[in-house]
Structures are given as structure tokens and as C-alpha cells.
Amino acid sequence: MTRRTAFLALGAAAVAAGVTGGALFLGEGSDAGASARRGDLPPATAKVVRTDLVRSKTVDGKLDFAQRRAVKSAVEGTVTVAASEGRTVELGQALYELNDKPVTLLYGPVPMFREMKAGDRGSDVLQLERGLRDLGYGSGLHVDTEYDRYTEAAVKRWQKSLNRESTGRVGKGDVVFQPGQIKVVAADAALADQVAPGGTVLTIAATRPVVRAQLEQTDGALTSKNTKVDVTLPSGRTVAGKVAGTVRPEEPESASGSGAGAQKGITVEIVLDGGASAVSGEDAKASASVRFVSEAHKGVLAVPVEAVVALRGENGGYGLQIVQGTTSKMVRVETGMTADGRIEVSGADVREGALVGVAAS
């Protein structure tokens, strides 16, 4: 095999094995077990080390809250009390006020899609009744899917506590259902703004802090749920986390309104070990550094990638030139993962601390 042929063969094998740490050294590798004289010693040596190899990618990230989403008005009106950015809103509290009436947060997965009144049935009625009970208006109330006279009476007591007209009915614009307590991350409608049905009034998120990061479309493997990451926060502290999932990126439209100016890629949300305490005191407007760990091999033997030699002969494969004093010998090795310029090696004749030949720097 010519040196060029050996190089092409080794290059193809390296790509197939996922070698990304650099080019493998192509010496005139003899068959494994062959010895070399003093004059055949390599120009430089390196030690076989036991280490952790980690394949990773680092991108910029941004502190945020999970499951960011818009809250849209169900009815037309004027904003008389705007949403308060940064506030955490819980069951029974007002998100904002429209036409001088509070729009109240209640818990449940089904959105408010109709006016509810006596005689109605459905899962939205069940959510309403649970909320009334949890707010202390459950006296005589049967928590089920039926809006009966007991539900109506409970609604009237609740409405009276809010200084609203006690109609016993709940209008589409009176409440907003969300799965749990929320964080107001943006007030999209200001005081005195006119909003139409379907107009965005505020942007909310879950109260769980996350880091958002954008990856290339080719980084799909890194977006898998529970992929481990290390996040360096704006303060310089590094905390561990994992991918919670992908989210739809915020895509500002271009001047033509076509959205052609939107960023391309995959946006992931990362939850941090330690939750809210992990980001306490951090600057939410500053960037974080996110290191995705796609693969890790712990405690393996490794050498510089340029130490690996393509073996000649009918058996082929790869080898290392082991240097012992004034002599050396070629030994066959199996190669594995590469990262940061090192490659995993194993074989009967490979020992931690052994000297191996490398190309001169």
C-alpha cells in the first residue's frame, strides 16, 4: 500500500468512526510486534493517559422562563389596569383589568371558550368549580361537570367578593385558565390600550427558570430530552442542567411580513439543577454559555490523535509506536471516541504512562 493509499483508507475509516479531533498521524507503520532500532525512534513522544473524553458543543444561551406563551383577550375592551411584568400570579388573582373589571387566573388545562351559565356541562365547568372550591366558595357545591344552582350560587358569592355584578354567569373575558401559577414576562398591552378579540394582552410563562439556546438543524442529536449540559451563568458560576425539550423560537417577521427574516435553527429549553436558586441574583439580560455533552467516555486510555498509525500488511488496522528507552515496537490497538485532540485506544500492550511516538510539532 502506498502512503497516499494508506492515508485515504485511514481517512475514510476515521470518518466512519466519528473521528473529529484532528487528523491521524500516518507514519510508515509496520506490522504490529515489529521492533525498531535507535535510528527509527520517533521525533517526539507522548504519554498514554487515563482520562475522560467528552464530545461537546458550546453555544450562547439566555435566561428565561419555561413555556413562554401569549395570553389573548377573549373580548373587546380597554385596558384599565395593565399586567405587571415580572409578577407571579396565582389562583384567583387578576392578570390585568379590562373595562374596569379584573380578568382572573383559574387553574385548568382547558381554555375559556364560552360563557358558562346554569345548565351547561363540560370539563370547563369542572375546572371552574374546582377553582371556586379552592378559593373558599365551595359551600354546598358539588364539584362535577354540571353547572347547577349550587354552582351559580358559588359564582355569585365569588363575583360579590370581586365587586362585580353578581350575575351567576362567567363570561368569556372574565377568567383565563392556565395549568398553574404563572410568571408575567411581558405586558404587551399598556394602560388605555384598546384590544380586540384575539389581541395579545400579555406574555406569560411557567415560574420555572430555564436557559434557552439555539442549535443548528444538524445538531438534532443534542436536542434529545435529558441531554446533559453545563451552563456558565453571567456571574461566571457553572451549573449542571439538562434539555427539557424544544420550543418554537420567537420569530420576528421581516418588513414584508413574510417572516423571511426569522432565525433558522432549533431552540431548546434547559432546566438547571437547583431550579430557581441556581439563577438567583443573575443578570437576566446577559448571555450565558451552554455546553452540550453529546457523548462521554469515562476513565479510558487515550493518546494524541497524531500518535495513531495505519498498519501495513494484510491485516491492516491501527497501531501505536511504543517507545522503551532506545528501542520501540509497533503494537496493534483498537480506537474509539475522539475529543479535544485525543483518541481512545485499547489493546493488550497498551498501558497507562507508556510513551508513544508522535509527529514533531
Side-chain angles (χ1 to χ4, degrees), residues 305-321:
V305 291
E306 61 268 24
V308 177
V309 178
L311 295 177
R312 297 182 299 185
E314 60 182 25
N315 293 324
Y318 304 114
L320 293 175
Q321 186 179 4

Side-chain angles (χ1 to χ4, degrees), residues 38 41 323-328 355:
R38 183 180 181 91
L41 291 177
V323 178
Q324 296 175 317
T326 59
T327 63
S328 69
L355 290 177

Side-chain angles (χ1 to χ4, degrees), residues 18 106 187 196 248 253 328:
L106 295 180
R248 179 177 297 177
E253 291 189 349
S328 69

Side-chain angles (χ1 to χ4, degrees), residues 190-201:
L191 179 67
D193 279 357
Q194 301 287 320
V195 293
T200 299
V201 182

Side-chain angles (χ1 to χ4, degrees), residues 7 111 148 193 216 231 240 273 278 307 322 330:
F7 176 81
D148 56 19
D193 279 357
E216 302 292 337
V231 178
D273 293 356
I322 303 293
M330 191 66 62

Side-chain angles (χ1 to χ4, degrees), residues 72-275:
K72 300 181 179 181
S73 179
V75 297
E76 183 179 6
T78 301
V79 176
T80 49
V81 175
S84 179
E85 291 187 4
R87 179 180 169 222
T88 298
V89 184
E90 300 179 345
L91 178 72
Q93 295 180 337
L95 289 164
Y96 61 97
E97 291 189 12
L98 198 67
N99 297 335
D100 204 28
K101 295 179 180 179
V103 179
T104 306
L105 174 67
L106 295 180
Y107 295 163
V110 179
M112 187 69 174
F113 63 92
R114 62 174 175 174
E115 179 188 69
M116 286 185 280
K117 60 187 183 302
D120 288 339
R121 291 176 178 271
S123 54
D124 55 341
V125 175
L126 177 62
Q127 291 179 166
L128 172 66
E129 292 182 341
R130 283 175 176 165
L132 292 170
R133 177 201 62 195
D134 294 344
L135 289 171
Y137 303 100
S139 178
L141 182 66
H142 302 288
V143 178
D144 54 20
T145 59
E146 182 181 359
Y147 199 122
D148 56 19
R149 61 189 180 93
Y150 300 104
T151 310
E152 185 177 58
V155 169
K156 286 181 178 180
R157 294 195 298 272
W158 174 55
Q159 289 173 328
K160 185 177 180 180
S161 74
L162 296 175
N163 293 319
R164 302 190 68 163
E165 183 182 359
S166 298
T167 63
R169 302 186 304 273
V170 181
K172 282 182 65 176
D174 294 346
V175 303
V176 169
F177 283 114
Q178 290 293 327
Q181 65 176 203
I182 58 91
K183 188 89 168 179
V184 178
V185 294
D188 300 279
L191 179 67
D193 279 357
Q194 301 287 320
V195 293
T200 299
V201 182
L202 69 159
T203 302
I204 64 171
T207 56
R208 180 180 62 186
V210 295
V211 174
R212 284 193 174 195
Q214 190 172 58
L215 295 166
E216 302 292 337
Q217 291 288 349
T218 54
D219 294 324
L222 300 180
T223 67
S224 299
K225 189 173 182 179
N226 296 326
T227 296
K228 293 181 180 180
V229 301
D230 291 321
V231 178
T232 302
L233 298 168
S235 66
R237 291 188 300 116
T238 298
V239 295
K242 59 185 178 182
V243 174
T246 59
V247 295
R248 179 177 297 177
E250 298 174 27
E251 297 182 345
E253 291 189 349
S254 64
S256 63
S258 64
Q263 292 182 326
K264 295 181 180 180
I266 305 172
T267 302
V268 296
E269 281 190 347
I270 297 152
V271 294
L272 302 176
D273 293 356

